[in-house]
Amino acid sequence: MSRTRRTSRTALLAALGLITATGATATVLGAATAGAAAPGCKVDYRITNQWNTGFGADVTVTNTGDPVASWTVEWSYAGNQQVTQGWNATITQSGTAVTAKSLSYNGTLTTGGSTSFGFNGSHSGTNAVPATFKLNGVTCNTTTTPPTDPPTTPPTTPPTTPPAGSKADNPYAGAKVYVNPEWSAKAAAEPGGTKVSNQPTGVWLDRIAAVNGSATSMGLRAHLDEALKQKGSGELVVQLVVYNLPGRDCAALASNGELGPTEIGRYKTQYIDPIAAILADPKYAGLRIVTTVEIDSLPNLVTNVSGRPTATPGCDVMKANGNYVTGVGYALNKLGSIANVYNYVDAGHHGWLGWDDNFGASAELFKQAATAEGSTVANVHGFIVNTANYSALKEAHFGIGDSVNGVSVRQSKWVDWNRYTDELSYAQAMRAKLVSLGFDAHLGMLIDTSRNGWGGTARPTAPGATTNVDTYVNGGRYDRRIHLGNWCNQSGAGLGERPQAAPAAGIDAYVWMKPPGESDGASKEIPNDEGKGFDRMCDPTYTGNARNGNSMSGALPNAPVSGHWFSAQFQELLKNAHPAL
């Protein structure tokens, strides 16, 4: 699992908003007034979630006029709605009037470009969508299409059955999620493991043999047959990890795979094609099948190639031969053509791609892969972040805009000029960037919370001392790793938020895609027939490299080969779970 550093950011293409919500939507179309500097615009305002006294919303704005370098979106409510928390924009409210302004990284909005921001709010009584929006002071000519009867008492859960022939906006909404009986049995056999053994986890198809199964392990069909039994009369999601690219994970030996750098033909015909054939079986048409596509590979082509401080020869090879892009495009095209399959592409994590020179370039590469081999962005239902990693979901005791004695948090050794402090803020920002590049405005994100709880006695309860910016950040941060670049079997880690649907704006689900208790890699070289090597970042005695600031690895000792059961890790995760078990 490769990790890397930063330098300086390219400007993000901005867009102005989609307020995605359950029930109420409005589409606002506008043309610039003659002589005005502001562009015309299209605004999608959608309420994504609504409860007795509150709601969440996404706003997606598409610029139909001249490019702008910064943007301000304004609207007024007819009722008593109050914005309480926002993201990807600075949102203020005076009375019923709301103003959303671009941030430093997303002010540029090209002609045809779009971006999203979101917020949570409170209300009582009705919660009608605004009738009029302004972009940079110019009123958009509006055509609003709210529901015939805006919901005053919204349903407690989103609709679970999409129209015939279409996919659910969020496959996790109103659905159970498959519990892998093989993982569940291992977890239940551990002391205290029955507290979590009923949780859903991802099924990793990390080699060709995993698709077929064996006398001692379930193959893909066996898992899908078991899923049908678990489904009953409701909806059920099955989570698969498609993970077997040629030259896989070119910067981390522990997660190398069975296919050589040039074996793209074998990847297509012996791996992807058989998976697609099984998933397309009409027997499984009633399942919602979520595929998370090729964890930890594409970003390596941005961060770990020649010209970067963490360059790795293997990544130069994969960039030159194009087989990562080809392989991902082929997988998305084949799997995306199946009506009940929902593709989510891996988008790294904030401690890898959150820096200026990684963020935008990675998003551009994701689009390149999504449109390779006959695929289109329509084959991408969303993206997943933090898979098999440890980055905290939300850092509550410090923010990216904080400063201590005039020194920005971004200058602390921990943040190190990153733009993000946690996975939720990164996921929402990456979503906005991807929408601005042409991905669907309803794009959903998944966050792997299987090992990022960071609870136990070491979890801070208040900000750090304000002696200097480092004491402030280090004293308050939940993520207790030695360095943000450490990724293998981390000491002190804990289970994070339990899997749940639609936990935040733009987030389809928190998931446990990496099954807790499965090793990241061996602590020492262990011969195996799975193509997995020995990476020193899994050795607790290793003093580090450029990717982790030459820090100790922070890895637990006596770990087995990646993917194998690691009892000591599972016990560590139980002990330090947050929320506590």
Side-chain angles (χ1 to χ4, degrees):
M1 304 289 175
S2 51
R3 311 290 179 259
T4 192
R5 295 184 69 245
R6 49 69 183 87
T7 27
S8 61
R9 163 180 301 242
T10 56
L12 296 183
L13 295 178
L16 310 183
L18 152 82
I19 296 186
T20 307
T22 305
T25 64
T27 299
V28 181
L29 302 174
T33 302
C41 62
K42 175 183 177 181
V43 175
D44 287 325
Y45 176 110
R46 179 171 298 189
I47 300 172
T48 56
N49 193 17
Q50 190 162 255
W51 55 98
N52 289 341
T53 60
F55 69 101
D58 277 346
V59 181
T60 296
V61 178
T62 301
N63 177 20
T64 61
D66 294 335
V68 296
S70 62
W71 48 262
T72 299
V73 178
E74 300 171 273
W75 69 90
S76 292
Y77 286 116
N80 66 347
Q81 296 96 324
Q82 292 288 320
V83 174
T84 58
Q85 179 188 30
W87 47 89
N88 293 333
T90 299
I91 305 176
T92 57
Q93 184 168 353
S94 176
T96 60
V98 180
T99 301
K101 295 184 177 181
S102 57
L103 301 177
S104 61
Y105 59 82
N106 68 352
T108 302
L109 190 59
T110 60
T111 302
S114 61
T115 194
S116 297
F117 61 90
F119 60 90
N120 291 325
S122 63
H123 73 93
S124 62
T126 60
N127 185 23
V129 298
T132 303
F133 292 83
K134 291 183 178 181
L135 173 61
N136 289 356
V138 174
T139 300
C140 296
N141 297 329
T142 62
T143 302
T144 59
T145 55
T148 304
D149 296 303
T152 56
T153 306
T156 55
T157 58
T160 60
T161 305
S166 66
K167 293 183 177 179
D169 181 58
N170 179 356
Y172 291 85
K176 298 185 293 185
V177 186
Y178 175 62
V179 177
N180 180 348
E182 293 184 310
W183 175 83
S184 182
K186 293 174 183 176
E190 292 280 344
T194 55
K195 294 179 180 178
V196 297
S197 58
N198 65 340
Q199 293 290 346
T201 55
V203 175
W204 286 60
L205 305 175
D206 61 353
R207 56 194 185 281
I208 293 168
V211 179
N212 299 320
S214 68
T216 58
S217 63
M218 297 171 68
L220 178 55
R221 280 195 178 275
H223 281 293
L224 295 177
D225 289 340
E226 174 63 23
L228 290 175
K229 296 177 184 177
Q230 294 184 19
K231 179 179 183 296
S233 59
E235 300 290 344
L236 185 133
V237 171
V238 179
Q239 302 176 125
L240 305 177
V241 180
V242 177
Y243 186 55
N244 199 30
L245 275 176
R248 188 178 73 196
D249 211 352
C250 55
L253 297 174
S255 45
N256 284 169
E258 65 184 349
L259 300 180
T262 63
E263 292 189 275
I264 188 64
R266 191 177 173 206
Y267 175 79
K268 292 178 177 180
T269 60
Q270 296 184 34
Y271 179 68
I272 294 298
D273 288 356
I275 292 174
I278 294 171
L279 299 187
D281 189 329
K283 178 181 182 181
Y284 306 122
L287 298 171
R288 295 180 180 179
I289 300 172
V290 165
T291 59
T292 54
V293 178
E294 295 299 352
I295 307 303
D296 266 356
S297 288
L298 288 174
N300 282 307
L301 305 185
V302 173
T303 65
N304 294 320
V305 292
S306 292
R308 304 302 296 271
T310 54
T312 304
C315 294
D316 282 333
V317 169
M318 299 316 300
K319 183 174 182 178
N321 68 27
N323 283 341
Y324 279 3
V325 170
T326 297
V328 171
Y330 186 83
L332 292 174
N333 194 29
K334 290 286 289 189
L335 303 176
S337 66
I338 303 169
N340 58 318
V341 170
Y342 299 77
N343 287 323
Y344 290 78
V345 179
D346 180 66
H349 57 88
H350 92 277
W352 186 3
L353 303 184
W355 284 279
D356 295 344
D357 54 351
N358 298 346
F359 187 94
S362 294
E364 296 276 1
L365 182 62
F366 299 154
K367 184 175 182 181
Q368 180 187 349
T371 54
E373 292 291 294
S375 182
T376 71
V377 294
N379 287 320
V380 179
H381 200 79
F383 286 77
I384 183 169
V385 302
N386 206 45
T387 308
N389 201 58
Y390 299 85
S391 294
L393 179 65
K394 302 175 188 176
E395 288 286 8
H397 299 315
F398 67 98
I400 205 67
D402 294 353
S403 62
V404 177
N405 301 323
V407 179
S408 168
V409 154
R410 294 189 65 212
Q411 294 176 254
S412 66
K413 292 179 181 178
W414 175 257
V415 178
D416 193 25
W417 295 103
N418 202 311
R419 290 285 181 184
Y420 307 98
T421 60
D422 52 37
E423 284 307 295
L424 181 59
S425 62
Y426 167 74
Q428 290 171 332
M430 179 58 79
R431 177 184 179 276
K433 175 63 175 176
L434 291 163
V435 169
S436 80
L437 293 180
F439 286 92
D440 192 280
H442 295 174
L443 199 70
M445 305 296 286
L446 304 178
I447 302 178
D448 189 345
T449 59
S450 59
R451 305 183 304 174
N452 70 347
W454 295 104
T457 57
R459 185 177 177 87
T461 58
T466 55
T467 309
N468 56 56
V469 72
D470 288 317
T471 58
Y472 175 68
V473 171
N474 289 333
R477 60 182 167 94
Y478 295 140
D479 189 335
R480 305 313 298 173
R481 284 178 290 179
I482 297 170
H483 190 276
L484 195 58
N486 288 357
W487 56 267
C488 194
N489 300 324
Q490 290 298 284
S491 176
L495 299 169
E497 290 283 348
R498 312 305 177 252
Q500 56 186 285
I507 310 301
D508 279 353
Y510 295 153
V511 298
W512 283 6
M513 201 58 66
K514 173 71 173 181
E518 290 191 0
S519 174
D520 294 322
S523 301
K524 60 184 179 181
E525 189 165 3
I526 299 176
N528 65 88
D529 60 0
E530 301 173 25
K532 297 170 182 175
F534 168 51
D535 196 301
R536 288 297 306 280
M537 286 298 291
C538 300
D539 177 356
T541 68
Y542 185 48
T543 55
N545 54 38
R547 292 189 208 111
N548 81 332
N550 297 109
S551 304
M552 296 298 291
S553 71
L556 292 168
N558 305 314
V561 170
S562 64
H564 291 219
W565 190 255
F566 187 12
S567 177
Q569 186 211 63
F570 187 78
Q571 289 299 320
E572 186 96 338
L573 296 174
L574 290 179
K575 179 180 69 174
N576 296 315
H578 186 87
L581 298 174

